[in-house]
Amino acid sequence: MSKTIFNLRIWFVAIILLIASSAKVNADNSSENTKTPKYIFFFIGDGMGLSQANTAEAYLGALNKSNGIKRLNFTTLPNQGFYTTYASDRFITGSAAAGTALSSGEKTSISTIGMDAKRQKPLKSVAEVAKEKGYKVGIVTSVSIDHATPASFYAHQPTRNMYYDISLDLSKSGFNYFAGGGFKHPEGDGKIDENNTMANFGMGADQKLAKKKPNSLEVAKARGYTIINTLDDFKALQKGDDKIISIAPRLAGGKSLPYSIDQDEKTDISLEDFTRKGIELLDNKKGFFMMIEAGKIDWACHANDAATVIKEVLQLDKAVSAALEFYKKHPKETLILIGGDHETGGMALGFSGSHYQSAFSLLQNQNLSYEKFAQLVKEYRESTKQPDVNYGLELVKKHFGLGNEEKNLKLNEFELQQLKDAFEKSMIYEYKMSKDDQFYLLYGSYDPFTVTACHILSQKAGIGWTSFSHTASPIPIRSIGVGAEQFTGFFDNTDVSKRLKKLLE
């Protein structure tokens, strides 16, 4: 009997080992047999976590008079996963460290672009690997083209604030297509202030230069690039045009595209337009890699401006739709990824004051971004010596709907007092952020009257905010196409680039 039991145990162990070995072989073969995608789209929603996309879906659902959601194109993709975002030296990451992790497959320190955590060694990005493999490469963004996330795919600099050196790296890369915002500091950075984070969100004036350096746009021309900055020249671009830097004809703060909510369809170029043009220019027999960043989701989340966030997410979805149209023509050769670098604002589909109620359709009453509204407040402050709070309340009513009973946006006494207090602070001085300021938790780094209006409308819609900064929430990634199964499950942000590079190899 004991010998029989012993033999059974031997057979049992052998079967387990055989199954494990077979599973490993199958897994290895699955990875090895995955074709290399010929066309790769990597969309990054800067600041976009699960809530930002879901809020946009809830908003669309509410407009259709539903208590549910209306799905976005990119949330319906068949392969879904999540990844962690922490940097090497901080749990809550920043765009430079997160962008570098997504582009290179290695962790780095806060504010570092395309280099290791000690800022000593350059890290090769997946875009650079693609170029070496013969792919054409495109980098598209709604913020300045030398901003942290796009820079992580072509630059190698100790800090994201070295915009001038980053712009030189841009033309040194030899990539085929750059599009979106302009160059922040094409003639030099001046004194670099690592603590001036608001300049990275398109706020605040740039420093004057004591001595100008060679204009980096002119350097790019000397390296063979063509600079496009008019709508007509953009439309004239056609297949075969190469080494293009296409800058939007109208730029907002921080040399970025205007927010989608502020754009004019007849005169502005959208993220979707830049994406479609990229497909046209980059399509070739050897394939292409294109990174497309919706960078101003992050900026609007920093300002806790829910309506503007939604419009930026919807604009990203339109850009994704362009890629999906291409995918339908090349389903066996194309990979599409949609992720984010981190979540911003701690956006929540629920607010303590609204209990279980939501009214997302109220957000349609906002007709401009916080940026444009803050400019109106500034112009009024500078044009009058005796500010009238009633003028401010009418301004809020006109652009946010707040105070309009017919639109179900009646203000209660507490909300009205919040606006009056904030208006008084906005009229006394141009508000400057200090994290030690007693009002920081109310207004963050923003104009008090503007951010208060954004908060009240968010709250009435049933949306809460926990921060004016980033959070450490894991980020969803959606995918379809060749190799998309490699991006399911729960993993780290560095694994995205590692798996992309493996597919390319």
Side-chain angles (χ1 to χ4, degrees):
M1 178 67 74
S2 60
K3 186 175 181 180
T4 301
I5 293 173
F6 177 78
N7 288 336
L8 285 173
R9 285 176 177 171
I10 292 294
W11 276 107
F12 180 74
V13 171
I15 291 169
I16 293 297
L17 290 172
L18 182 63
I19 291 172
S21 175
S22 176
K24 184 179 186 302
V25 169
N26 289 336
D28 290 343
N29 286 340
S30 173
S31 176
E32 290 174 3
N33 291 335
T34 298
K35 286 178 60 180
T36 297
K38 181 177 178 181
Y39 308 106
I40 301 174
F41 295 87
F42 188 5
F43 290 90
I44 298 176
D46 197 313
M48 187 178 75
L50 191 61
S51 292
Q52 283 73 13
N54 201 213
T55 300
E57 293 179 318
Y59 172 77
L60 294 177
L63 294 185
N64 287 335
K65 303 187 184 306
S66 165
N67 284 325
I69 63 172
K70 182 179 178 182
R71 299 292 293 275
L72 299 169
N73 289 310
F74 70 78
T75 66
T76 64
L77 299 190
N79 299 282
Q80 311 229 354
F82 280 89
Y83 51 77
T84 50
T85 64
Y86 59 91
S88 65
D89 58 344
R90 200 173 73 191
F91 185 58
I92 298 179
T93 194
S95 291
T100 297
L102 289 171
S103 66
S104 72
E106 293 191 41
K107 293 286 187 188
T108 194
S109 48
I110 294 298
S111 295
T112 306
I113 296 288
M115 299 185 76
D116 70 331
K118 294 182 179 180
R119 301 178 172 180
Q120 299 296 315
K121 182 182 72 173
L123 303 173
K124 185 176 291 186
S125 77
V126 64
E128 292 170 322
V129 171
K131 184 178 183 298
E132 290 175 355
K133 298 288 183 182
Y135 288 65
K136 286 192 174 183
V137 177
I139 304 293
V140 179
T141 182
S142 58
V143 294
S144 66
I145 198 68
D146 49 13
H147 212 257
T149 303
S152 299
F153 286 81
Y154 63 79
H156 308 278
Q157 296 296 336
T159 169
R160 63 178 294 172
N161 293 322
M162 297 175 69
Y163 287 101
Y164 179 73
D165 293 290
I166 287 170
S167 67
L168 294 178
D169 280 353
L170 181 149
S171 57
K172 191 188 298 181
S173 71
F175 291 177
N176 308 86
Y177 176 64
F178 290 96
F183 287 17
K184 273 179 68 74
H185 300 164
E187 296 181 322
D189 293 309
K191 184 179 179 182
I192 296 174
D193 181 1
E194 292 281 0
N195 297 315
N196 185 20
T197 58
M198 298 313 296
N200 295 321
F201 312 145
M203 297 172 62
D206 289 328
Q207 294 179 343
K208 292 183 179 180
L209 295 173
K211 184 178 181 181
K212 293 182 179 181
K213 295 182 179 180
N215 190 295
S216 54
L217 286 165
E218 295 302 320
V219 172
K221 289 179 183 179
R223 289 173 172 170
Y225 281 90
T226 300
I227 312 296
I228 301 295
N229 57 10
T230 70
L231 184 59
D232 288 341
D233 286 344
F234 174 76
K235 290 180 177 179
L237 289 170
Q238 57 187 344
K239 191 176 181 66
D241 291 334
D242 194 27
K243 296 191 79 173
I244 300 296
I245 299 174
S246 183
I247 298 171
R250 184 169 71 100
L251 297 175
K255 302 292 180 69
S256 67
L257 273 62
Y259 281 107
S260 181
I261 197 173
D262 299 328
Q263 285 184 10
D264 184 332
E265 293 182 1
K266 295 180 181 179
T267 57
D268 286 314
I269 303 174
S270 69
L271 190 69
E272 177 191 6
D273 297 330
F274 280 125
T275 302
R276 290 187 181 278
K277 184 61 72 173
I279 293 171
E280 181 184 350
L281 299 183
L282 297 173
D283 190 12
N284 72 101
K285 292 182 180 180
K286 291 187 177 181
F288 64 74
F289 173 95
M290 184 158 44
M291 190 288 293
I292 305 101
E293 182 208 19
K296 297 189 79 168
I297 296 172
D298 174 66
W299 293 12
C301 284
H302 276 289
N304 294 177
D305 182 350
T308 299
V309 169
I310 288 170
K311 296 297 174 66
E312 291 301 301
V313 172
L314 295 180
Q315 183 57 232
L316 169 62
D317 199 49
K318 289 180 180 179
V320 172
S321 71
L324 287 171
E325 289 172 19
F326 183 87
Y327 166 81
K328 289 175 182 177
K329 297 175 184 176
H330 309 274
K332 295 182 179 180
E333 299 178 295
T334 306
L335 171 63
I336 302 175
L337 299 173
I338 300 97
D341 54 355
H342 52 73
E343 195 276 342
T344 302
M347 191 181 199
L349 280 79
F351 169 64
S352 57
S354 62
H355 304 288
Y356 292 103
Q357 301 304 312
S358 301
F360 300 109
S361 62
L362 293 177
L363 295 168
Q364 68 184 308
N365 293 296
Q366 184 176 331
N367 55 33
L368 44 60
S369 69
Y370 75 91
E371 182 181 59
K372 286 201 74 173
F373 188 80
Q375 183 61 32
L376 294 176
V377 173
K378 180 180 179 181
E379 290 171 0
Y380 180 67
R381 179 179 64 245
E382 293 176 348
S383 67
T384 182
K385 293 182 179 179
Q386 292 184 320
D388 183 358
V389 68
N390 291 315
Y391 176 85
L393 294 175
E394 284 300 314
L395 207 60
V396 163
K397 189 175 183 179
K398 178 181 178 181
H399 296 294
F400 289 83
L402 295 174
N404 190 326
E405 294 187 37
E406 293 179 1
K407 295 181 177 180
N408 295 318
L409 285 170
K410 180 181 179 180
L411 293 166
N412 60 38
E413 289 185 14
F414 179 68
E415 292 165 339
L416 191 60
Q417 192 59 51
Q418 282 182 300
L419 285 168
K420 289 179 178 179
D421 291 344
F423 181 81
E424 182 179 344
K425 287 181 174 58
S426 291
M427 290 299 106
I428 293 172
Y429 59 92
E430 187 168 2
Y431 188 70
K432 301 292 184 182
M433 181 271 289
S434 168
K435 291 179 181 177
D436 297 324
D437 193 313
Q438 61 179 321
F439 296 111
Y440 178 78
L441 292 179
L442 290 177
Y443 311 127
S445 313
Y446 299 88
D447 169 65
F449 193 53
T450 303
V451 79
T452 300
C454 289
H455 279 165
I456 291 174
L457 185 59
S458 286
Q459 292 161 7
K460 286 184 175 296
I463 294 170
W465 298 93
T466 68
S467 179
F468 294 107
S469 301
H470 302 167
T471 71
S473 299
I475 297 299
I477 184 168
R478 289 98 170 180
S479 58
I480 189 171
V482 180
E485 69 281 354
Q486 304 292 322
F487 303 93
T488 60
F490 188 79
F491 43 94
D492 186 61
N493 57 3
T494 56
D495 292 317
V496 177
S497 186
K498 287 175 183 175
R499 294 174 190 187
L500 272 174
K501 287 180 178 179
K502 190 170 183 178
L503 285 172
L504 286 171
E505 291 166 0

